[in-house]
Amino acid sequence: MLLRHTPKEISERKALTINPAKTCQPVGAMYAALGIHRCLPHSHGSQGCCAYHRSALTRHYAEPIMASTSSFTEGASVFGGQSNMLESIQNIFALYDPDIIAVNTTCLSEVIGDDLKQIINRAMGDNKIPPGKTVMYASTPSFKGSHVTGYANMLSAIVQNFAVATGTRNDAITILPSFIEPSDMSEIKHIAEEMGIKYIMYPDTSDVVNAPMDGKFHMYPKGGTTKELIRQSGDSRRAIALGRVGVFPAAQLLDTKCKVKTDILDLPIGITATDTFVDTLRKIAGVTVPESINDERGRLVDVLCDKAQYVYGKKVSLMGDPDTLFGLAQFCKDAGMQVLHVVTGTPAGAKWDRRVKELLGDGTIVKSGAQADLFYLHQLMQNDKPDLLFGNTYCKYIARDMDIPLIRTAFPIYDRMGHSYFPITGYRGGLHLLIKVLDAFMDRQDRDAPEEKFELVM
Amino acid sequence: MVEVLAARKQQVLEKGKDVFNIECEKPSTAGSVSQRACVFCGSRVVLYPIADAVHLIHGPIGCAAYTWELRGSLSSGPELHRLSFSTDIREHEVIYGGEKKLYAALKELIGAYKPNAAFVYCTCIIGLIGDDVEAVCAKVEKEVGIPVIPVHSEGFKGTKKDGYKAACEAAFKLVGKDDITPVSKTSINILGEFNLAGETWIIKDYYKRMGVEVTACITGDGRVAEIGRAHRAKLNVVQCSGSMTYLAKMMEEKYGIPYIRVSYFGIEDMSKALYDVAEYFKDETILHNTQELVKSEVNALLPKLTEYRKDLEGKKAGVYVGGSFKAFSMVKALRHLGMETVVVGSQTGSPEDYEYLKEITNEGTIILDDTNPLELSGFILEKGADLLIGGVKERPIAYKMGIGFCDHNHERKEALAGYEGMLNFAREVHTSVTSPVWKYSPARIKAAEAAQAAEAAQAAEAAQAAEAAQAAEAAQAAEAARAGKEILV
Ligand code: SF4
Ligand code: SF4
């Protein structure tokens, strides 16, 4: 068995990360950039990083993921990547014709100290950027942060580059979601639409990384928020950030740059957080919550009532990205489950640790950042065994070793489908998530039941 | 015609039309959506299957995260290689150096897992900040008494190919460590077979049936001790695109072991691989065993292939794989299934490789080096392929276009080597190409409609022609009748 190597005794590790619970910044930046219409992510560094990032996203979404690379060679690493970047800009517009090139840096280009702002200005001066097109960048060195902070950095770069305050407010509400699946982006839009609210949401990866099959390969699928809409978000009457670690810098920037007042909420996962989201929308827009939304809520509550005894008191461990984790923690609490462990490799900060603790109480072990890896999680679980684990694909080894069910909710998921098509946010997403949890427990009960107790009705 | 970046014009040719030699072995054009990976990736691929060693990635977390368990490599014993170890370099080390952290990580790791060797992969950043990894490894090696080997795989130093070389240099440090375990007179090493889906086991079984001992497979299902005595085998058999040719050359130089290059994919290449070894040993029994083996395997295989061939005859395929040796075998293997290769390319081919591809493909075949999705999908469409053979990044592109796909890179779950592998390959291609799902593809529907319309037009034309012929005949008959009548009258 693969993980028989993991000892139960937890000893302090200082230098070693074993089985990481995070990936690096550029992947997140790429994902955010994909949520902008006709935007091509570009990786400024060697080919390897870009190939890996594209592979990671390709596997996770089972979709063609496009991103170009500056293709550094040794020369570039010594003399700087300026000429590679300039050449890239020229080639990309000539061949791939995007509206936007969203550059993310890599460890390499950061360490050699390429000044992308200056390079882009130079490209502009040399008329290498066709009229109406944009080249923008986010700094995403991976010796800092994780894919979530990479997402956050790209999102604030998007605000920085496109959102403009003209002085005349429009009546739209800007919604900035954290690193979530395209299905969740759709669900958030659905709620706003049901409530009849005018909104601008970005990034929006729905119809980009879960695009329908139409017999053609599209370099730029039909989804993604347009540049024009993002520009208008600078004039929006108000903004809502959904999630903190992945959105905070962008929300703050929208506030300082365009004076758009921003409410910072948690991702609407579970009843409580979705209630807050819906209520905030209601108040800002001055609308009443439509019956259809109340019905969606009612269905979730109904199923929870029907089957509460199957989840109540069950013990769970959570692994994933900080904003989603907070939502899941809330969801588990709503359902009466007991969360034993919350682990994320993303350095989410002391404030995040504290908030999770406040929510779940002192009985829960919360760890983020350095050495908060899957090895550590496995050790925790060996010491206090949960009934269920939420996490990414890599958690399957732990789940198998501990013989407990795994619900895949984090990044990356390489071995199951569904996450990009069915949400976990909103009331409908909550129902979907609850059904998954119920299935896990009930399948388990069926599997483990002795012959005489194996019954039709559960 | 598909648009190709100006700088890439010399990397794509159409056989029979273009006369230049393909430009290759150069870095991807800046700005292209390249499918290629880095030096580190190459090194990791080669050394990763050594299952009783720890593989520590010295660098920021991404490099470790993206190579963790993403490329299968089965082991019949220990599975240390499947864990992901990283020094997870942070800003602090970027500024002050990562040597201390590396030292501590190695000590922790070796203490906890008691491996037989440790590999330390240097990633881009380590090359830049200038850690003296050699010195740290030497120090730890002395303290713990197992080989601790630095792998100079800084990503930016070249292509995946350079990574193979760095890995060979690292593996070479293990060769010759075990000088006591006896080795047979007819023994070989297999180089460059990685046991992705159990291929090593298939191949080893063939050699065993021939009476040939496999001293070491470097590196599929690999062990430190086996590599340690590899220098005493009599022949090195280098598989596929030669990711380990460099190691074979070093072993030839130092230990006088000759090497041959083979491919284990497809019927001809597999048989040739076995015969080449048999002939090398000039041993009657081995030769006889080989003949028997090939005969029985091929006889068992061919009727089964014919079944698949019935449905596949006349279909077209595009091939885009990492190594060019694999591309050769694919072209031949597809021919056995009645399929024609209309687009073929690799990430790392050499000029000779592309010359050979020109030789074995039909007129009009597109041959390309280091392509990108826009180009590739364009050629696939232009040439009307029904199947794409490629790797992880090509798969969704094929599906989006509504054509079949077969993974012949590192994500394959079916063993594709040997005769069994050929059958698996045929089954996989058949399943994908003939799957009913394609009938829902709008592109296919359109193509089918067009074909139908063309057929109808043809039929209409034929009917018209027939009618005209009939009319002419009738007229003739009438004429004849009239003539007759006249005569009669
Ligand atoms: S960690 Fe840094 S160097 Fe490694 S893949 Fe990520 S960006 Fe590239
Ligand atoms: S190019 Fe360098 S940094 Fe990027 S994955 Fe390869 S080794 Fe890591």
Side-chain angles (χ1 to χ4, degrees):
Chain A
M1 180 61 210
L2 182 62
L3 283 171
R4 65 169 182 264
H5 303 289
T6 312
K8 202 171 163 183
E9 305 74 48
I10 301 175
S11 57
E12 182 73 22
R13 269 179 296 139
K14 286 207 178 68
L16 186 63
T17 296
I18 307 176
N19 301 343
K22 63 175 170 188
T23 62
C24 66
Q25 292 214 66
V27 160
M30 251 178 212
Y31 182 60
L34 287 169
I36 310 303
H37 188 58
R38 291 189 62 80
C39 173
L40 183 69
H42 177 86
S43 164
H44 189 50
S46 358
Q47 285 174 18
C49 306
C50 186
Y52 281 138
H53 304 151
R54 280 182 57 217
S55 297
L57 291 170
T58 301
R59 285 190 177 96
H60 182 78
Y61 292 109
E63 287 288 306
I65 301 293
M66 293 302 118
S68 50
T69 160
S70 295
S71 293
F72 274 23
T73 52
E74 202 146 13
S77 329
V78 179
F79 303 113
Q82 167 158 319
S83 68
N84 286 51
M85 191 63 233
L86 292 174
E87 202 188 324
S88 294
I89 292 176
Q90 199 162 4
N91 284 336
I92 291 168
F93 283 125
L95 190 60
Y96 305 125
D97 189 36
D99 287 350
I100 303 160
I101 302 176
V103 185
N104 64 260
T105 60
T106 60
C107 298
L108 187 55
S109 55
E110 283 287 333
V111 175
I112 60 180
D114 276 349
D115 181 353
L116 274 163
K117 194 167 169 194
Q118 175 265 323
I119 297 176
I120 292 169
N121 281 337
R122 167 97 186 252
M124 216 123 64
D126 294 352
N127 291 325
K128 287 205 158 108
I129 305 175
K133 309 268 176 176
T134 313
V135 181
M136 55 167 287
Y137 82 99
S139 173
T140 49
S142 297
F143 41 82
K144 279 192 218 167
S146 75
H147 55 286
V148 180
T149 54
Y151 177 94
N153 289 349
M154 183 53 85
L155 186 52
S156 32
I158 290 167
V159 171
Q160 180 67 44
N161 278 275
F162 300 113
V164 179
T166 61
T168 324
R169 291 265 168 233
N170 57 40
D171 54 359
I173 297 173
T174 294
I175 302 175
L176 304 168
S178 185
F179 196 143
I180 46 174
E181 300 289 334
S183 44
D184 294 314
M185 306 253 184
S186 301
E187 189 60 27
I188 287 165
K189 289 194 291 186
H190 158 78
I191 291 177
E193 275 157 24
E194 268 321 284
M195 293 177 71
I197 282 164
K198 221 176 142 207
Y199 68 93
I200 298 168
M201 184 175 93
Y202 59 92
D204 180 4
T205 55
S206 60
D207 280 332
V208 178
V209 295
N210 60 357
M213 192 268 205
D214 64 356
K216 282 189 218 99
F217 161 68
H218 297 277
M219 188 88 186
Y220 310 103
K222 64 182 173 187
T225 317
T226 60
K227 213 152 106 166
E228 177 53 26
L229 275 176
I230 303 172
R231 194 184 62 73
Q232 291 171 20
S233 75
D235 285 333
S236 56
R237 61 198 283 194
R238 190 91 167 218
I240 297 178
L242 295 174
R244 292 161 203 261
V245 182
V247 200
F248 189 71
Q252 211 176 22
L253 187 64
L254 192 62
D255 195 335
T256 51
K257 186 183 171 205
C258 304
K259 305 281 169 294
V260 177
K261 200 166 167 329
T262 308
D263 294 276
I264 299 183
L265 310 181
D266 292 309
L267 275 172
I269 299 174
I271 301 167
T272 315
T274 307
D275 283 351
T276 311
F277 174 51
V278 169
D279 202 42
T280 309
L281 280 179
R282 179 189 65 82
K283 276 192 214 136
I284 298 174
V287 294
T288 48
V289 178
E291 199 174 326
S292 59
I293 291 285
N294 282 328
D295 287 350
E296 285 174 14
R297 185 182 194 275
R299 271 180 213 107
L300 171 57
V301 176
D302 187 52
V303 174
L304 191 54
C305 294
D306 283 345
K307 292 284 178 275
Q309 73 272 29
Y310 286 92
V311 292
Y312 183 74
K314 285 281 196 299
K315 295 191 274 185
V316 295
S317 296
L318 307 175
M319 170 269 157
D321 299 337
D323 293 328
T324 317
L325 278 179
F326 193 85
L328 287 174
Q330 179 80 61
F331 170 86
C332 290
K333 204 181 161 198
D334 288 349
M337 294 191 271
Q338 186 196 343
V339 181
L340 302 179
H341 318 112
V342 186
V343 169
T344 177
T346 294
K351 204 166 154 197
W352 181 84
D353 291 14
R354 220 173 26 246
R355 284 194 77 230
V356 183
K357 277 241 172 220
E358 265 164 31
L359 176 74
L360 297 172
D362 279 341
T364 309
I365 297 177
V366 181
K367 183 159 171 147
S368 64
Q371 273 89 53
D373 48 27
L374 296 190
F375 178 85
Y376 173 70
L377 175 66
H378 190 202
Q379 288 185 310
L380 291 177
M381 289 168 63
Q382 282 179 327
N383 286 292
D384 193 359
K385 189 180 171 183
D387 305 301
L388 179 68
L389 170 63
F390 285 87
N392 67 14
T393 284
Y394 287 102
C395 290
K396 75 197 263 180
Y397 296 107
I398 301 177
R400 182 177 156 112
D401 184 53
M402 312 269 322
D403 193 23
I404 56 168
L406 165 67
I407 294 184
R408 289 162 178 77
T409 42
F411 179 83
I413 296 170
Y414 294 150
D415 62 339
R416 292 290 190 278
M417 295 298 285
H419 54 91
S420 36
Y421 302 97
F422 300 101
I424 61 167
T425 52
Y427 300 120
R428 298 194 306 189
L431 185 55
H432 172 234
L433 189 60
L434 178 60
I435 299 286
K436 277 182 128 183
V437 173
L438 285 168
D439 275 350
F441 286 135
M442 293 167 119
D443 283 349
R444 190 55 197 245
Q445 190 177 321
D446 270 343
R447 196 195 89 179
D448 294 344
E451 195 70 24
E452 65 279 11
K453 295 194 99 180
F454 185 71
E455 288 186 292
L456 184 74
V457 180
M458 298 177 78
Chain B
M1 181 69 188
V2 174
E3 222 182 311
V4 176
L5 270 181
R8 284 191 35 78
K9 285 252 186 309
Q10 299 296 309
Q11 283 172 277
V12 180
L13 70 75
E14 183 169 344
K15 185 182 166 185
K17 199 170 134 221
D18 302 316
V19 285
F20 56 84
N21 291 330
I22 272 200
E23 246 178 41
C24 50
E25 298 181 309
K26 64 175 203 173
S28 301
T29 311
S32 63
V33 180
S34 165
Q35 310 287 80
R36 286 207 291 213
C38 64
V39 181
F40 164 65
C41 176
S43 295
R44 183 86 171 123
V45 162
V46 169
L47 295 172
Y48 168 74
I50 304 176
D52 58 346
V54 295
H55 302 266
L56 172 62
I57 295 158
H58 187 29
I61 200 70
C63 311
Y66 303 121
T67 49
W68 175 23
E69 272 289 85
L70 283 178
R71 189 182 156 104
S73 187
L74 306 182
S75 164
S76 54
E79 292 192 316
L80 254 183
H81 65 307
R82 298 178 68 180
L83 298 169
S84 173
F85 302 116
S86 167
T87 48
D88 192 2
I89 286 298
R90 318 302 297 171
E91 213 165 9
H92 179 267
E93 287 90 32
V94 171
I95 299 163
Y96 300 104
E99 291 171 23
K100 272 201 199 113
K101 198 169 189 186
L102 174 62
Y103 174 80
L106 272 172
K107 291 293 284 248
E108 271 182 41
L109 197 51
I110 295 168
Y113 292 98
K114 312 271 178 300
N116 292 329
F119 292 100
V120 177
Y121 300 81
C122 309
T123 59
C124 284
I125 249 190
I126 302 307
L128 274 184
I129 61 177
D131 274 4
D132 190 350
V133 176
E134 292 279 346
V136 177
C137 288
K139 186 171 171 209
V140 176
E141 176 162 322
K142 232 185 180 163
E143 287 171 15
V144 298
I146 61 160
V148 180
I149 302 170
V151 187
H152 295 289
S153 52
E154 293 86 350
F156 60 83
K157 284 194 170 157
T159 63
K160 205 166 161 183
K161 255 189 171 173
D162 301 284
Y164 296 153
K165 200 170 153 195
C168 287
E169 270 159 12
F172 191 58
K173 294 198 175 135
L174 288 180
V175 175
K177 293 248 177 213
D178 173 2
D179 222 351
I180 32 175
T181 314
V183 158
S184 144
K185 268 208 276 304
T186 52
S187 70
I188 59 168
N189 299 314
I190 303 170
L191 268 53
E193 156 52 46
F194 303 119
N195 208 31
L196 292 188
E199 280 97 344
T200 304
W201 298 328
I202 294 177
I203 305 295
K204 271 188 170 169
D205 178 60
Y206 293 156
Y207 285 123
K208 195 169 150 209
R209 283 157 66 188
M210 283 162 59
V212 172
E213 176 190 296
V214 177
T215 302
C217 180
I218 309 176
T219 53
D221 197 12
R223 301 292 180 272
V224 172
E226 274 175 23
I227 302 171
R229 56 179 172 274
H231 61 301
R232 296 163 68 229
K234 301 298 174 274
L235 177 69
N236 277 336
V237 181
V238 184
Q239 141 80 356
C240 203
S241 63
S243 51
M244 296 192 94
T245 315
Y246 187 67
L247 178 66
K249 282 189 181 149
M250 286 194 289
M251 286 175 76
E252 184 171 40
E253 210 168 280
K254 184 158 176 194
Y255 300 105
I257 310 173
Y259 72 90
I260 53 172
R261 281 180 78 176
V262 301
S263 162
Y264 293 132
F265 298 111
I267 302 172
E268 296 95 338
D269 289 353
M270 183 66 239
S271 307
K272 186 170 182 311
L274 300 179
Y275 276 124
D276 283 355
V277 169
E279 274 155 26
Y280 175 80
F281 286 118
K282 297 190 176 56
D283 177 312
E284 277 310 311
T285 329
I286 293 180
L287 200 60
H288 175 76
N289 290 348
T290 310
Q291 280 162 349
E292 288 299 309
L293 185 151
V294 172
K295 205 162 67 192
S296 78
E297 291 286 340
V298 173
N299 281 344
L301 174 65
L302 286 180
K304 293 180 195 155
L305 282 190
T306 316
E307 279 302 301
Y308 293 121
R309 186 176 173 133
K310 269 188 229 150
D311 296 330
L312 296 173
E313 194 79 58
K315 303 264 189 222
K316 295 177 194 159
V319 176
Y320 185 66
V321 285
S324 47
F325 244 61
K326 202 149 60 187
F328 307 156
S329 297
M330 286 300 96
V331 173
K332 294 184 216 166
L334 285 163
R335 205 167 278 154
H336 276 292
L337 301 178
M339 294 179 71
E340 184 198 348
T341 305
V342 289
V343 178
V344 59
S346 85
Q347 293 175 16
T348 56
S350 69
E352 305 83 57
D353 294 342
Y354 289 116
E355 273 312 299
Y356 185 63
L357 270 181
K358 256 198 259 179
E359 257 170 56
I360 60 171
T361 49
N362 296 345
E363 294 284 296
T365 303
I366 303 286
I367 301 176
L368 27 80
D369 177 61
D370 180 30
T371 189
N372 59 61
L374 207 58
E375 239 178 61
L376 190 64
S377 65
F379 284 123
I380 295 282
L381 198 69
E382 189 180 292
K383 294 288 170 186
D386 304 279
L387 171 80
L388 178 62
I389 298 183
V392 55
K393 294 196 266 338
E394 286 78 44
R395 180 192 293 271
I397 295 176
Y399 292 158
K400 276 278 182 292
M401 296 176 71
I403 67 170
F405 181 81
C406 170
D407 194 314
H408 213 290
N409 280 5
H410 48 263
E411 278 219 337
R412 61 173 181 261
K413 299 296 166 220
E414 289 270 19
L416 298 181
Y419 307 101
E420 283 158 78
M422 181 66 203
L423 189 61
N424 290 341
F425 176 67
R427 188 186 310 119
E428 204 167 323
V429 168
H430 184 268
T431 309
S432 194
V433 170
T434 62
S435 166
V437 302
W438 306 132
K439 72 169 184 272
Y440 302 110
S441 156
R444 288 289 171 119
I445 294 168
K446 235 187 252 162
E449 276 169 5
Q452 222 168 26
E455 214 168 284
Q458 221 172 22
E461 212 170 285
Q464 218 170 28
E467 211 166 287
Q470 222 172 22
E473 216 171 286
Q476 225 172 22
E479 187 107 333
R482 214 173 35 213
K485 221 179 186 171
E486 271 175 16
I487 293 164
L488 275 181
V489 167

